[in-house]
Amino acid sequence: MLKKDCIQIGSFKRGKHNKITDVHGVTVGNVTLNDGEVQTGVTAIKPHQGNIFKEKVIASSHVFNGFGKTTGLIQIDELGTLETPIILTNTLSVGDCYRGLTTYMLHSNPEIGETTGTVNPVVAECNDMSLNNIRKMNIKSDHVIEALYNASADFEEGSVGAGRGMKCFDLKGGVGSSSRIVSYSHGDYTIGILTLTNFGKLSSFVMNGDPIGERLKKSLEILESESEQGSIIMVVATDLPVTQSQLNRIIKRTGVGLSRTGSFLGNGSGDLAIGFSTANKGKGEEEGLNILHSIPEADLDQAFEATVEATEEAILHSMQLAETVTGKGGRTLYNLQEVVDKTE
Amino acid sequence: MLKKDCIQIGSFKRGKHNKITDVHGVTVGNVTLNDGEVQTGVTAIKPHQGNIFKEKVIASSHVFNGFGKTTGLIQIDELGTLETPIILTNTLSVGDCYRGLTTYMLHSNPEIGETTGTVNPVVAECNDMSLNNIRKMNIKSDHVIEALYNASADFEEGSVGAGRGMKCFDLKGGVGSSSRIVSYSHGDYTIGILTLTNFGKLSSFVMNGDPIGERLKKSLEILESESEQGSIIMVVATDLPVTQSQLNRIIKRTGVGLSRTGSFLGNGSGDLAIGFSTANKGKGEEEGLNILHSIPEADLDQAFEATVEATEEAILHSMQLAETVTGKGGRTLYNLQEVVDKTE
Amino acid sequence: MLKKDCIQIGSFKRGKHNKITDVHGVTVGNVTLNDGEVQTGVTAIKPHQGNIFKEKVIASSHVFNGFGKTTGLIQIDELGTLETPIILTNTLSVGDCYRGLTTYMLHSNPEIGETTGTVNPVVAECNDMSLNNIRKMNIKSDHVIEALYNASADFEEGSVGAGRGMKCFDLKGGVGSSSRIVSYSHGDYTIGILTLTNFGKLSSFVMNGDPIGERLKKSLEILESESEQGSIIMVVATDLPVTQSQLNRIIKRTGVGLSRTGSFLGNGSGDLAIGFSTANKGKGEEEGLNILHSIPEADLDQAFEATVEATEEAILHSMQLAETVTGKGGRTLYNLQEVVDKTE
Amino acid sequence: MLKKDCIQIGSFKRGKHNKITDVHGVTVGNVTLNDGEVQTGVTAIKPHQGNIFKEKVIASSHVFNGFGKTTGLIQIDELGTLETPIILTNTLSVGDCYRGLTTYMLHSNPEIGETTGTVNPVVAECNDMSLNNIRKMNIKSDHVIEALYNASADFEEGSVGAGRGMKCFDLKGGVGSSSRIVSYSHGDYTIGILTLTNFGKLSSFVMNGDPIGERLKKSLEILESESEQGSIIMVVATDLPVTQSQLNRIIKRTGVGLSRTGSFLGNGSGDLAIGFSTANKGKGEEEGLNILHSIPEADLDQAFEATVEATEEAILHSMQLAETVTGKGGRTLYNLQEVVDKTE
């Protein structure tokens, strides 16, 4: 299998592990279901290790193409805060993950629904029906809780968790991550990306500027999707001190990285970004006035570029690290490197 | 109890039953849970009696204040279509309703997840924790299916279905409906509204221009909510031939009706509208080009005014028709007329 | 003529002069053209008395109905800052006001277009064609500069400045203002509103909950507009420490106040709000990190309610204080009190 | 100079002239000011050759990054129609162009401001201060009228019209155009793009997948911009029968093409798209109901891809065809081919 570091997008310095978990406090957990026609899972992203409901983080979302079923975005955009981990799964299991995440939050916050109002569970999805019998709705709410307890800074990428059954450019997609360091006079910060990739047709695939997809398609007999029915979820984590509005501007740049891999944001694709910043933790919870630190607007350019790079690289990682999987109806989706090796 | 027709908002002609189901084909079903500290339920709205997944209807949504957990709005806004019934419930049960609605859709559409991609379940909620032990998550996915099978043109309003535990202006809220007829040279059409009301503080309550809430508050010892933690869901149905954009403009006017009852769109309130038009049924499903009928833009004024009236009236109906309920912790929310009678 | 204080909306304390200029530093200037069929003008609002381009203020906008030609909103919403005064005028004169405001800004900022990029002039408008020969485009760029030099805390309301030719509920509209004080543990703050009113049909007019418009229409022979071709611009100023996102939430509540006067946001109406906060002046301009003060989200409820009240009252002031004007084609629009007096 | 056809992006068939004017009825006119430190101009795009105010076209806009001063977008997005030609110019001349375009519209439509309300002039801009003394505001309203009378199907690209002073990737930018044919069972249609390019830093420039900018920067001593203060306006014309919402989805894909040239949507860049479809001309003007033809949603994928290709190519054309210009302060921006020739 291709090693993660054989692909080098752009010029920014990478974080220590080149993963979203390079942002201090962020952890990721996977639960993978791998049993014949059941090829699916759950990926959980925790923004920090404290009580997230009590120490909300600044957050924002952006929908590039809304053919998707995500929950929680409306409240993120109204209040600018995230108060739960983010759960990724397959499309028809959003409801069960909502239940699982709610259960988890109620357990650690006895005041929810008693004295504080409710909680806003954030669940996003892609449709893994190519490999997974999605109609069976195999994800149970306990899988969410398991993924949350599994979460660590050192997590697997590729055909794992929610990425198990995903297809990207007609090859195997899944979970991919990357990170970048931005440096200012006021400090160094990390921007980390985790993508769940499930979009694109082979002929469009561009790897680091090289339109390799066209060549692969010509030399292979891979049946190309008739239409884009995929999706991509791009999660952006950072410790950069930003306002909700600045964060929104940053996460919109994931679309630039996505575009460079060959996506054209197809009609049937649910393409969206969710971001959070851990820098002003606890916003909105203090007595008196909140004190919010934020970078000057002109400093955003560096964060924009770093986000573009890390997104493109995270998408490529999701393919490099995704092992070949055979699932529903005996259909197989191949690892990118395997396909490259066959054709060269 | 106050009769529905004692309140007359505005000057437009009402539909036959003054309900959302005056729009031909629309039906509504309730499942009500009434057992001590369990005071909650499900309300299901079917846009028409055919296969909704195959005959999608034009749809749009608008968020006035996004402190809410609704699912399905992103795709409605991207594609401009609704492909499932709309389910209303309590906040923490959105996941179970998502599962229930998905199960219902899979049952009648074996091609979902096999040949057609997935389905976009639309579930909206308010927080009924005043009367209901919401943490128990008592709604099960079967309740959704039951509500859908219950659905009929002649449905109950008030403290029923999702409205069972709702609180409006510190009195009993719930499900309320109303309708209006708009007349043009090209025909007569119906605009129907169904509201799930769970917002407001008593002192703000205005009934048909009369600031009755202030008076009620002075003469009663009702403890006013310290802050708005409510919500309102406003569902707009019509057979008016409109584009997605025109429909969006229409449903935004529900906010005007809402404002006139005394709401100020409180910080903690999830205030939103979801609308659909049955007039161009099947949009997006034909071979070749779609033929779409739509009213001239200038004709919208009449639809705007009718929507304002019907929304204000539907909210008042939700209170008039909501019987007094005692729930969690022995707390009681009173029917509006009872309170009026006591103070006069 | 009706005195300004005969109308009392809501319960919040008013600012000293009950005007937008109660927000410290804010000034307003009018230039009025009153010559037969020329009944129009310019109203200029300065957010503070320093160099606005160098000391930008946090700003936001919201479009309720976009039948309008305002400039500058896109950049306000992207960057969250206002860097010029706000100019109000008639629809066809937006270009000349853009030139006038640009000239003014270039004069006091020699670095614009040399070392700092350009400037974002904010100009909003209503259509005063009922009384004004708008096709003549009588506003010249010098009128903008004159209005800016005229600006003071003590400004006139009614049929002055941009309000000269405006029509509201088929009566005389114009410029109206109001203010409210909000009180928190962390301090008292002012919210000021200035409205330019040019919307509505007489029969819809509601004064402080009283549907007076219907009665006036019955007893008078006022020809009602066939359709809404009006607009309203609502400018919100405050010294409340808020983020761009919080400010956006506040200014959206102007729509609630507007709704209570009888507007239904007609198809042909350009209804929008522009707001700014002077509390974190200079945002984005410091070296290193910005320090931003903001109120907790829950504190917004009070600001929401105060905004609703002040908006409703400012609209009523625009009518109370607007003297009767005869303009183009000998058409006359009457002061509200005159009409009330005639019918009682 | 590089010939236009030496660059071939993607696989769709081009229109006859590979310009926006391949869409039947569309014409473009330039007025160029070339006099020492005055290097600026006006570009006018007419959607069709009839009376645009009377025969409005379906239209939509999308803002990728709102550091820009465009007029008219709010109304386009509310009503979904364009009722004037589109004018492009430099930032500080938006006001004069608004006046010029208004004058032009009033001249051909005596009913504006008398019986029909006003008109919504659409003017977009980039900041050409690198080469042009923008503070002089040299564009007069007559230049707009001249550009409109100049308009023809066969127009010049490069350092002409509004493109005269523009800078793209630190080289000479300007006006560039391209077109694509999309084919369906129901017919062939054209998508045409015109871009006004003024963005990017040299090291980011990617030509058809090749990161040529980095190499050029190393071998040349071109001083790179410290920050993005540019912009890009992307105008999309088509005869594809689409609703406003579908058109909006199409024009959002210009961002994908833009991303592939190396833009990262810099903080200081006003990046936006305006599109129109001539297919349902006259929408909203008929008696009775409008009949609107639209393609099925799934047909959009082809339109999306064609838009991506044409946008990328139009941007490259703007550079290929832009002659070297020396302007303000003796500063010179070079044609791309000249620079390539020097370094190879």
Side-chain angles (χ1 to χ4, degrees):
Chain A
M1 199 177 305
L2 228 62
K3 285 202 190 133
K4 186 160 170 175
D5 58 5
C6 82
I7 289 232
Q8 299 277 344
I9 302 295
S11 55
F12 279 84
K13 200 180 149 189
R14 283 155 187 72
K16 194 167 177 190
H17 303 289
N18 201 9
K19 290 182 173 180
I20 193 172
T21 47
D22 289 331
V23 178
H24 179 74
V26 176
T27 54
V28 175
N30 289 307
V31 165
T32 307
L33 275 62
N34 169 8
D35 182 8
E37 66 168 18
V38 179
Q39 299 291 339
T40 192
V42 170
T43 296
I45 301 156
K46 294 171 89 166
H48 64 73
Q49 300 306 304
N51 184 319
I52 301 166
F53 186 72
K54 292 205 181 72
E55 293 188 278
K56 304 180 203 302
V57 290
I58 289 182
S60 186
S61 82
H62 183 73
V63 176
F64 294 100
N65 194 55
F67 208 127
K69 286 85 182 169
T70 298
T71 74
L73 301 195
I74 290 170
Q75 186 163 324
I76 284 180
D77 290 340
E78 184 72 42
L79 303 180
T81 48
L82 177 69
E83 60 187 26
T84 72
I86 298 169
I87 303 298
L88 309 179
T89 189
N90 76 59
T91 313
L92 299 187
S93 297
V94 168
D96 295 282
C97 289
Y98 186 103
R99 171 175 256 278
L101 183 53
T102 301
T103 304
Y104 173 86
M105 295 305 295
L106 291 181
H107 182 74
S108 47
N109 295 281
E111 72 277 28
I112 292 178
E114 293 288 345
T115 54
T116 65
T118 55
V119 63
N120 182 44
V122 176
V123 184
E125 50 70 44
C126 297
N127 174 3
D128 58 12
M129 64 181 256
S130 301
L131 292 182
N132 178 44
N133 188 337
I134 194 172
R135 290 176 61 92
K136 286 281 178 68
M137 299 171 74
N138 289 93
I139 302 293
K140 303 302 168 203
S141 56
D142 282 353
H143 291 131
V144 173
I145 293 168
E146 190 186 337
L148 284 162
Y149 282 109
N150 280 350
S152 74
D154 182 27
F155 65 99
E156 259 192 287
E157 298 169 69
S159 299
V160 295
R164 182 65 194 171
M166 300 299 166
K167 176 174 75 170
C168 196
F169 294 113
D170 294 313
L171 303 173
K172 191 68 196 67
V175 171
S177 193
S178 180
S179 71
R180 292 293 184 276
I181 308 295
V182 287
S183 293
Y184 300 98
S185 64
H186 43 82
D188 286 6
Y189 309 93
T190 304
I191 295 175
I193 310 276
L194 184 145
T195 57
L196 178 65
T197 65
N198 191 49
F199 67 95
K201 42 184 197 176
L202 182 56
S203 60
S204 308
F205 179 42
V206 176
M207 187 161 66
N208 201 7
D210 175 15
I212 187 176
E214 270 177 57
R215 296 199 308 276
L216 292 179
K217 202 194 162 190
K218 273 175 203 155
S219 59
L220 285 173
E221 288 303 304
I222 289 179
L223 185 70
E224 188 167 292
S225 334
E226 277 177 44
S227 66
E228 274 262 39
Q229 295 198 337
S231 284
I232 182 167
I233 308 298
M234 300 177 280
V235 177
V236 182
T238 187
D239 54 5
L240 199 64
V242 285
T243 64
Q244 173 192 4
S245 309
Q246 290 178 324
L247 183 60
N248 184 256
R249 300 187 70 200
I250 291 172
I251 68 173
K252 280 184 184 166
R253 273 60 190 182
T254 57
V256 178
L258 173 60
S259 296
R260 292 182 185 173
T261 65
S263 165
F264 59 91
L265 310 175
N267 166 56
S269 197
D271 300 333
L272 57 88
I274 306 172
F276 59 85
S277 165
T278 59
N280 284 288
K281 223 166 28 185
K283 172 186 171 270
E285 299 297 309
E286 302 167 35
E287 284 275 290
L289 290 178
N290 296 337
I291 309 298
L292 192 62
H293 290 203
S294 69
I295 61 172
E297 219 68 18
D299 281 1
L300 282 170
D301 269 340
Q302 208 187 130
F304 288 175
E305 284 199 84
T307 301
V308 170
E309 280 190 15
T311 304
E312 184 177 353
E313 196 171 290
I315 293 167
L316 296 174
H317 286 168
S318 79
M319 298 176 72
Q320 284 180 291
L321 299 174
E323 62 173 11
T324 295
V325 171
T326 300
K328 194 179 84 174
R331 184 183 168 90
T332 300
L333 291 178
Y334 293 95
N335 169 262
L336 167 62
Q337 188 60 48
E338 279 185 48
V339 171
V340 170
D341 290 347
K342 268 187 211 159
T343 60
E344 278 168 3
Chain B
M1 200 177 305
L2 227 64
K3 285 199 187 136
K4 187 161 171 174
D5 57 6
C6 82
I7 289 234
Q8 299 278 344
I9 302 295
S11 55
F12 279 85
K13 201 179 149 189
R14 281 153 187 73
K16 195 169 175 188
H17 303 290
N18 201 7
K19 289 183 173 179
I20 193 172
T21 47
D22 289 331
V23 178
H24 180 74
V26 176
T27 54
V28 174
N30 288 308
V31 166
T32 306
L33 275 62
N34 169 8
D35 184 9
E37 65 167 21
V38 180
Q39 299 291 341
T40 193
V42 170
T43 298
I45 301 155
K46 294 171 88 167
H48 64 73
Q49 300 306 305
N51 184 318
I52 300 165
F53 186 73
K54 291 204 180 70
E55 292 188 279
K56 303 180 205 299
V57 289
I58 289 181
S60 186
S61 81
H62 183 73
V63 176
F64 294 98
N65 194 55
F67 207 127
K69 287 84 183 169
T70 299
T71 74
L73 301 196
I74 291 169
Q75 186 163 323
I76 284 181
D77 291 340
E78 184 71 41
L79 303 180
T81 49
L82 176 69
E83 60 186 25
T84 71
I86 297 169
I87 303 298
L88 310 180
T89 189
N90 77 59
T91 312
L92 299 187
S93 297
V94 167
D96 295 282
C97 288
Y98 186 104
R99 172 175 256 277
L101 182 53
T102 301
T103 304
Y104 173 85
M105 296 306 295
L106 292 181
H107 181 75
S108 47
N109 295 281
E111 71 277 26
I112 292 177
E114 293 288 345
T115 55
T116 65
T118 53
V119 63
N120 182 44
V122 176
V123 183
E125 50 69 46
C126 297
N127 174 4
D128 58 13
M129 63 182 254
S130 301
L131 291 182
N132 179 44
N133 189 338
I134 194 172
R135 291 177 61 93
K136 286 280 176 71
M137 298 170 76
N138 288 94
I139 302 293
K140 304 301 167 203
S141 56
D142 281 353
H143 291 131
V144 173
I145 293 168
E146 190 185 338
L148 285 161
Y149 282 110
N150 281 349
S152 73
D154 182 28
F155 66 99
E156 261 192 286
E157 298 169 69
S159 299
V160 294
R164 182 65 195 171
M166 299 301 166
K167 176 174 75 170
C168 195
F169 294 112
D170 293 312
L171 303 172
K172 191 69 196 68
V175 171
S177 193
S178 180
S179 72
R180 292 294 184 276
I181 309 295
V182 288
S183 294
Y184 301 99
S185 63
H186 43 82
D188 285 7
Y189 309 93
T190 304
I191 296 176
I193 310 277
L194 184 145
T195 57
L196 178 65
T197 65
N198 191 49
F199 68 95
K201 42 183 195 176
L202 182 57
S203 59
S204 308
F205 178 43
V206 176
M207 186 162 66
N208 201 7
D210 174 15
I212 187 175
E214 270 176 59
R215 295 199 308 275
L216 291 179
K217 203 195 161 191
K218 274 175 201 156
S219 59
L220 286 173
E221 287 302 305
I222 289 179
L223 185 70
E224 188 166 289
S225 332
E226 277 176 44
S227 65
E228 274 263 40
Q229 294 197 340
S231 284
I232 182 168
I233 309 298
M234 300 176 280
V235 178
V236 182
T238 188
D239 55 3
L240 200 63
V242 284
T243 63
Q244 172 191 3
S245 310
Q246 290 178 323
L247 183 60
N248 184 257
R249 300 186 70 200
I250 290 172
I251 67 173
K252 280 183 186 167
R253 271 62 190 182
T254 57
V256 177
L258 173 60
S259 298
R260 292 183 185 172
T261 65
S263 165
F264 59 90
L265 311 174
N267 166 56
S269 197
D271 300 333
L272 58 88
I274 307 173
F276 59 86
S277 165
T278 59
N280 286 288
K281 223 164 30 186
K283 173 182 171 271
E285 298 297 308
E286 303 166 34
E287 286 276 291
L289 289 177
N290 296 336
I291 309 299
L292 192 62
H293 290 205
S294 69
I295 61 172
E297 219 68 19
D299 280 2
L300 283 171
D301 269 340
Q302 208 187 131
F304 289 175
E305 284 199 84
T307 301
V308 170
E309 279 190 15
T311 303
E312 185 177 352
E313 196 172 291
I315 293 168
L316 296 175
H317 286 168
S318 79
M319 298 176 72
Q320 282 180 289
L321 300 174
E323 60 173 13
T324 294
V325 172
T326 300
K328 193 178 84 174
R331 184 184 169 87
T332 301
L333 291 177
Y334 294 95
N335 169 261
L336 167 61
Q337 186 61 49
E338 279 184 51
V339 172
V340 169
D341 290 347
K342 268 188 215 160
T343 60
E344 281 169 1
Chain C
M1 198 178 303
L2 230 62
K3 286 203 187 129
K4 187 161 172 174
D5 57 5
C6 81
I7 290 230
Q8 300 278 345
I9 301 295
S11 56
F12 279 84
K13 200 180 149 191
R14 282 153 186 74
K16 194 169 176 189
H17 302 290
N18 201 7
K19 290 183 173 180
I20 192 172
T21 47
D22 290 330
V23 178
H24 180 73
V26 176
T27 54
V28 175
N30 289 307
V31 166
T32 307
L33 275 62
N34 168 9
D35 183 8
E37 65 168 19
V38 180
Q39 300 291 340
T40 192
V42 171
T43 297
I45 301 155
K46 294 172 88 166
H48 64 74
Q49 300 307 304
N51 184 320
I52 301 166
F53 186 73
K54 292 206 180 69
E55 293 189 278
K56 304 180 204 299
V57 290
I58 289 182
S60 187
S61 81
H62 183 73
V63 176
F64 294 98
N65 194 54
F67 207 127
K69 287 84 182 169
T70 299
T71 74
L73 301 196
I74 290 170
Q75 186 163 322
I76 284 180
D77 291 340
E78 185 71 42
L79 303 180
T81 49
L82 176 69
E83 62 186 24
T84 72
I86 298 169
I87 302 299
L88 309 179
T89 190
N90 76 60
T91 313
L92 300 187
S93 296
V94 168
D96 295 281
C97 289
Y98 186 104
R99 172 176 257 276
L101 182 53
T102 301
T103 304
Y104 174 85
M105 296 305 295
L106 292 181
H107 182 74
S108 47
N109 295 281
E111 71 277 27
I112 292 177
E114 292 289 344
T115 54
T116 64
T118 55
V119 64
N120 182 44
V122 176
V123 184
E125 50 69 46
C126 298
N127 174 4
D128 59 12
M129 63 182 257
S130 301
L131 292 181
N132 178 44
N133 188 337
I134 194 173
R135 290 177 60 91
K136 286 281 177 70
M137 298 170 76
N138 289 93
I139 302 294
K140 302 303 167 203
S141 56
D142 282 353
H143 292 131
V144 173
I145 294 168
E146 190 185 338
L148 284 161
Y149 283 109
N150 281 350
S152 74
D154 182 28
F155 66 98
E156 260 191 286
E157 299 169 68
S159 299
V160 294
R164 182 65 195 171
M166 300 300 167
K167 176 174 75 171
C168 195
F169 293 112
D170 293 312
L171 302 172
K172 191 68 196 67
V175 171
S177 193
S178 181
S179 70
R180 291 294 184 277
I181 309 295
V182 288
S183 293
Y184 302 98
S185 64
H186 44 81
D188 285 7
Y189 309 93
T190 304
I191 295 176
I193 310 277
L194 183 144
T195 58
L196 178 65
T197 64
N198 191 49
F199 68 96
K201 42 184 195 176
L202 181 56
S203 59
S204 308
F205 177 43
V206 176
M207 186 162 65
N208 200 8
D210 174 15
I212 187 175
E214 270 177 57
R215 296 198 309 274
L216 292 179
K217 202 194 162 191
K218 274 175 201 154
S219 60
L220 286 173
E221 287 303 305
I222 288 179
L223 185 70
E224 188 167 289
S225 333
E226 280 177 39
S227 65
E228 274 262 40
Q229 294 198 339
S231 285
I232 183 168
I233 309 299
M234 299 176 279
V235 178
V236 182
T238 188
D239 54 3
L240 200 63
V242 284
T243 64
Q244 173 191 3
S245 309
Q246 291 178 324
L247 183 60
N248 184 257
R249 300 186 70 202
I250 290 172
I251 68 173
K252 281 183 183 168
R253 272 61 190 183
T254 57
V256 177
L258 173 60
S259 297
R260 292 183 184 172
T261 65
S263 166
F264 59 91
L265 311 174
N267 167 55
S269 197
D271 300 334
L272 58 88
I274 306 172
F276 58 85
S277 165
T278 59
N280 285 287
K281 222 163 31 183
K283 171 185 173 267
E285 299 297 311
E286 302 167 34
E287 285 275 291
L289 289 177
N290 296 337
I291 309 298
L292 192 61
H293 291 205
S294 69
I295 60 171
E297 219 68 17
D299 280 1
L300 283 170
D301 269 339
Q302 207 187 131
F304 289 175
E305 284 199 84
T307 301
V308 171
E309 280 190 14
T311 304
E312 184 176 353
E313 195 171 292
I315 292 167
L316 296 175
H317 287 168
S318 79
M319 298 176 74
Q320 284 181 290
L321 301 174
E323 62 173 9
T324 296
V325 172
T326 300
K328 194 179 84 173
R331 184 185 168 88
T332 300
L333 290 177
Y334 294 94
N335 169 261
L336 168 61
Q337 187 60 49
E338 279 184 50
V339 171
V340 170
D341 290 346
K342 268 188 213 159
T343 60
E344 281 169 2
Chain D
M1 201 177 304
L2 229 63
K3 286 200 190 135
K4 187 162 170 174
D5 58 6
C6 82
I7 289 230
Q8 300 277 345
I9 302 295
S11 55
F12 279 83
K13 201 180 149 191
R14 280 153 188 73
K16 195 169 174 189
H17 302 289
N18 200 9
K19 289 183 174 181
I20 193 173
T21 47
D22 290 331
V23 178
H24 180 73
V26 175
T27 55
V28 174
N30 288 307
V31 165
T32 307
L33 275 59
N34 168 8
D35 183 9
E37 65 167 19
V38 180
Q39 301 291 339
T40 192
V42 170
T43 297
I45 301 155
K46 294 171 89 166
H48 64 74
Q49 299 306 303
N51 184 318
I52 301 165
F53 186 73
K54 291 203 181 71
E55 293 188 278
K56 304 180 204 299
V57 290
I58 288 182
S60 187
S61 82
H62 183 73
V63 176
F64 295 99
N65 193 55
F67 208 128
K69 287 85 183 168
T70 299
T71 75
L73 302 195
I74 290 169
Q75 186 163 324
I76 284 179
D77 291 340
E78 184 71 43
L79 303 180
T81 50
L82 177 68
E83 61 186 25
T84 72
I86 297 168
I87 302 299
L88 309 179
T89 189
N90 77 59
T91 313
L92 300 187
S93 297
V94 167
D96 295 281
C97 289
Y98 186 104
R99 171 174 257 277
L101 182 53
T102 302
T103 304
Y104 174 85
M105 295 305 295
L106 292 181
H107 182 74
S108 47
N109 294 281
E111 71 276 27
I112 292 177
E114 292 288 345
T115 54
T116 64
T118 56
V119 64
N120 181 44
V122 177
V123 183
E125 50 69 45
C126 297
N127 174 4
D128 59 12
M129 64 181 255
S130 300
L131 291 181
N132 178 45
N133 188 337
I134 194 172
R135 291 177 59 92
K136 286 282 178 69
M137 298 171 75
N138 289 94
I139 302 293
K140 303 302 168 202
S141 56
D142 281 354
H143 292 131
V144 173
I145 294 168
E146 191 185 338
L148 284 162
Y149 283 109
N150 280 351
S152 74
D154 182 28
F155 66 99
E156 260 192 288
E157 298 169 69
S159 300
V160 294
R164 182 64 196 172
M166 300 300 166
K167 176 174 75 169
C168 196
F169 294 113
D170 294 312
L171 303 172
K172 191 68 196 69
V175 171
S177 193
S178 181
S179 71
R180 292 295 184 276
I181 308 295
V182 288
S183 294
Y184 301 98
S185 63
H186 44 80
D188 286 7
Y189 308 93
T190 305
I191 295 174
I193 310 277
L194 184 144
T195 58
L196 178 65
T197 64
N198 191 49
F199 67 96
K201 43 183 196 177
L202 182 57
S203 58
S204 307
F205 178 42
V206 175
M207 187 162 65
N208 200 7
D210 175 15
I212 187 176
E214 270 178 57
R215 296 200 307 275
L216 291 179
K217 202 194 161 191
K218 272 175 202 155
S219 60
L220 285 173
E221 288 302 306
I222 288 179
L223 185 69
E224 188 167 290
S225 333
E226 278 176 43
S227 66
E228 274 261 39
Q229 296 199 337
S231 285
I232 182 168
I233 309 298
M234 300 176 280
V235 178
V236 182
T238 188
D239 55 3
L240 200 63
V242 284
T243 63
Q244 172 190 2
S245 309
Q246 290 178 324
L247 183 60
N248 184 257
R249 300 186 70 200
I250 291 172
I251 68 173
K252 281 184 186 165
R253 272 61 191 182
T254 57
V256 177
L258 173 60
S259 297
R260 293 183 184 172
T261 65
S263 166
F264 60 91
L265 311 175
N267 167 55
S269 197
D271 301 333
L272 58 88
I274 306 172
F276 59 85
S277 165
T278 59
N280 284 288
K281 222 164 30 185
K283 171 184 170 273
E285 299 296 309
E286 302 167 34
E287 285 275 289
L289 289 177
N290 295 337
I291 309 299
L292 193 62
H293 290 204
S294 69
I295 60 172
E297 219 67 19
D299 280 2
L300 283 171
D301 269 339
Q302 207 187 130
F304 288 174
E305 284 199 84
T307 301
V308 170
E309 280 190 14
T311 303
E312 184 176 352
E313 195 171 292
I315 292 167
L316 296 174
H317 287 168
S318 80
M319 299 176 71
Q320 284 179 292
L321 300 174
E323 62 172 12
T324 295
V325 172
T326 300
K328 194 179 83 174
R331 183 184 169 89
T332 300
L333 291 177
Y334 294 95
N335 169 261
L336 167 61
Q337 186 60 48
E338 277 184 50
V339 172
V340 170
D341 289 347
K342 268 189 216 160
T343 60
E344 280 168 0

